[in-house]
Amino acid sequence: MNNSQDPVSCFHCGLPVPPELDISVNYHGEKKPMCCYGCQAVSQAIIDSGMDDFYRYRTSTPEKPGELVPEFLQQLKAYDSPDVQKKFVAATDSENIYEVSLILEGITCAACVWLNEKHLNALDGIIDASINYSTHRARVRWDNSKIRLSDILESVSRIGYLAHPYDPEQHQLILEKERKAQIRRIGLSGLLGMQLMIFAVAMYTGDWWGMEEGFRQAFRWISLAITIPILLFASSVFFKSAWRDISNRRVGMDVPVSLGIGIAFVASVMHTIKGSGEVYYDSVAMFTFFLLSARYFEITTRKQTSEATEALLNLTPAVATRLIDYENRRSSTVEDQENISVSELSVGDYLLVRPGEVIPADGVIVSGSSGINESLITGESLPVTRSVDDAVIGGSTNTENPLIIRVTKLGEDSVLSSIQRLIDEAQHTKPAITRLADRIAGWFVSILLSIAAVVAWYWYSPDSDLWLEITIATLVVSCPCALSLATPTAITAASGQLAKIGLLPKSPHALETLAHATDFVFDKTGTLTEGRIELQGIHLNPAVQKTLDDRQALLIAASLEASSEHPIARALLESCRQPLLKVEGLAHITGRGISGRIEGETWFIGNRAFIEENCRQPLFDARFDSSEGDDSNGKIYLASSEQCIAVFLLSDHVREEAPRLISELKHLHKTCHLMTGDREENARQISRQLGIDHTLADLHPEDKLKAVKALQNAGAIVVMTGDGVNDAPVLAGADLSIAMGKGTQLAAAAADMILISNNIEHIYHGLKIASKTLGIIRQNLSWALLYNITAIPAAAAGYVEPWMAALGMSASSLVVVINAMRLNRIRY
Amino acid sequence: MDIIYLLLPVALIIVVIIIGIFFWAVKSDQFDDLEGPAHRILMDDDDKPEAKKTGDE
């Protein structure tokens, strides 16, 4: 973990410690180095509360904790309002005792779970807190007279994690119910199947060594009695879904499965009543058990994905600050503010939006002006300036000054809803994708039925039942056991691999489509780039080099920008990493810059025009004005009233792994496209840097969708990767879509796969896994078909003994499972 | 060998009981977290009795 130049790494989070920083905590009498004050506070809190065992047990380092800024704590307070709690919190039978589900972020190993659980349970007023290790969800019951929800959330932040209440989404509750039902079905068919197996083995051995006919008949009847609950309770899922397929005039894999189970059961019942012949009850049970187990893993994968998506929920509560009676008074004091849930807003309400907050609804600014980050909608990475009478879009972020807005549109009419409609439309027109196994299932069923018809016709004679016996034997032998396991086993094995690289499939067809893809379309901001402005370089005016150095210039700049939420300010602050200076008389001029006094001297930081206005010698070295550092998204100037001091170059970094991804994809002869809502020159610049051949810029969400549709009409299979709300419609319309884990929830909801790791090179690894999986599925299907092709004629000719059929069926399934296991050995 | 006729229903009853226990386990959320208990048992805190006291403040 340590790199060679900087051997000191933080005791808490493992990141390198900046050389000039000397802070530490005392752990068992030893001074352990810390990389920042955040880590120090968290580590101290953990050690002080006697939970330092965390450092002994942990197997990976936790994430670097965020700083506890007052705004964050203020936002947590909103969770105490009963209106907001209505959505998340459940009352219990006793008074003042409430229960809430929390999503915990930052959990990296089992020790984190232990730490959080112990920490929560040690708080006064917590009745019970338990954390689910696999889902990172906590269930907390607390006594509201002793502790408040915001205190609970805050105390989790104190030890370096982030907790926020959540309201399990409807489809997630359904998935959970489905998962439990599936466990019950598997348990039932497994337990009863074992019982059936006992009788079956007795009867098979009875065939060789002889068996009293009385016992045999008793075994047949009791096996029938045991099989009926399996059929009614467990196998019924196959029948239901087969019926659904047939009534939709489709043939899915469940049709041959139901046919196999049904015929084996009916034949067995006939033989039981007749009192002679073979029974296949054990096969029915085992087949059901295997298939249900394979599908269980598919459900777990889907559930895992939906949980991961849910964790992406916007952290800010769905709360707005409404100003009561603002219209008449035209002023706002703390007393007229109320926190209300966004769903209770109405058109005409006046809202206060503080810097850093998400604008809760579409509206018009009535007071104040600020930079608004609309990257969510437009993909443009820098905030745009909006002032009185300008419209703002719900979902964008206020970055600089407090604003008062009047709500103009809600619900159906809002910009976000119109994008949602675009998504729905796109999803409807999405090309239909049939999975390989389902295509095979179709003709498997038709061939099987025709063979059965031929067999019946060939053996038919009105005098004996032999033709019926042989026809049924043919159908039983052709049980599509291996065939129906071919795909789920491979997908399950692949899902494990995908989870390792953090690429979670949401749709069942995701892997197969990824393997077939021809064109890869990428969004720019937040997908190919980090989506975050960073300081790239500092150019100091040579005239001041004697008195100032880069670090001091940066320190002055960062101190001025300290209170701003503007991405540029954040970038400067992040690179500064020194204790800031005290600034007096701070003034924000929206869209231009900031001025303030430090130790008696007035400083200006802002764009070119702002400096020219305030500075006597805004003369720059030609170097500063030249297009050097062309890949920057912006320049910002620092000046005193006398002269310009320094220029800071800023840019949205291209992700480190992006060039590798593009070259690897091109190597596989895939076509790469860039589609962005950002300006043409920014887009071109990125394309040049990465070697992307096709670039489209200045696109609205609907233009992106059109462009992808055009590709699809030309026969391409398009994989779209994006992160923003503006990408959501095209994500819904592409053949396969991948949403970035750090992206917006709407994008994740519209996508087929979620890239939780945010490492886009993993798309290439995912592609490799997908092609390998498709290969395995093909092998499995061919093997299963080969087995059936050889077994059916043998059965049709009357050569197959029942025990051979049972053995063949199990062996062929086993081959399929073992073949799928090979997927676990992929290396990159 | 007639004892088999008695053993068959006995076996059935036992299976029904086992299934009942299994369904109860599913219902009482025992299959919700299949990883946690394995880790939790290793991180028991009885070797650190003073931890709870200081943590209460």
Side-chain angles (χ1 to χ4, degrees), chain A residues 278-417:
Chain A
E278 287 308 324
V279 291
Y280 309 98
Y281 297 119
D282 56 320
S283 307
V284 169
M286 278 301 121
F287 184 26
T288 305
F289 175 74
F290 279 139
L291 209 51
L292 286 175
S293 307
R295 301 230 172 136
Y296 172 74
F297 290 110
E298 281 195 87
I299 294 180
T300 358
T301 313
R302 260 191 299 148
K303 191 164 170 282
Q304 203 184 357
T305 312
S306 97
E307 275 161 2
T309 327
E310 202 176 50
L312 307 176
L313 269 168
N314 199 340
L315 293 189
T316 43
V319 190
T321 311
R322 180 159 64 183
L323 302 172
I324 304 164
D325 206 21
Y326 178 83
E327 219 165 336
N328 303 325
R329 281 194 274 181
R330 290 281 151 189
S331 72
S332 77
T333 55
V334 181
E335 291 86 63
D336 340 308
Q337 297 177 3
E338 59 171 356
N339 285 333
I340 68 162
S341 114
V342 169
S343 56
E344 287 166 55
L345 286 177
S346 47
V347 171
D349 277 351
Y350 288 85
L351 307 176
L352 175 66
V353 186
R354 301 183 190 89
E357 281 184 358
V358 173
I359 296 174
D362 292 0
V364 170
I365 298 178
V366 290
S367 157
S369 71
S370 181
I372 311 265
N373 189 335
E374 292 180 351
S375 62
L376 194 72
I377 316 291
T378 59
E380 157 91 51
S381 37
L382 283 178
V384 285
T385 306
R386 298 268 187 260
S387 49
V388 175
D389 288 339
D390 284 341
V392 289
I393 303 169
S396 49
T397 313
N398 180 13
T399 61
E400 283 167 10
N401 303 312
L403 290 176
I404 294 173
I405 65 164
R406 195 183 69 240
V407 178
T408 52
K409 282 183 209 151
L410 279 171
E412 289 285 291
D413 309 323
S414 66
V415 174
L416 276 183
S417 299

Side-chain angles (χ1 to χ4, degrees), chain A residues 251 438-448 785:
Chain A
V251 177
D438 287 339
R439 280 205 299 276
I440 288 190
W443 58 264
F444 180 78
V445 169
S446 43
I447 289 182
L448 186 62
L785 286 174

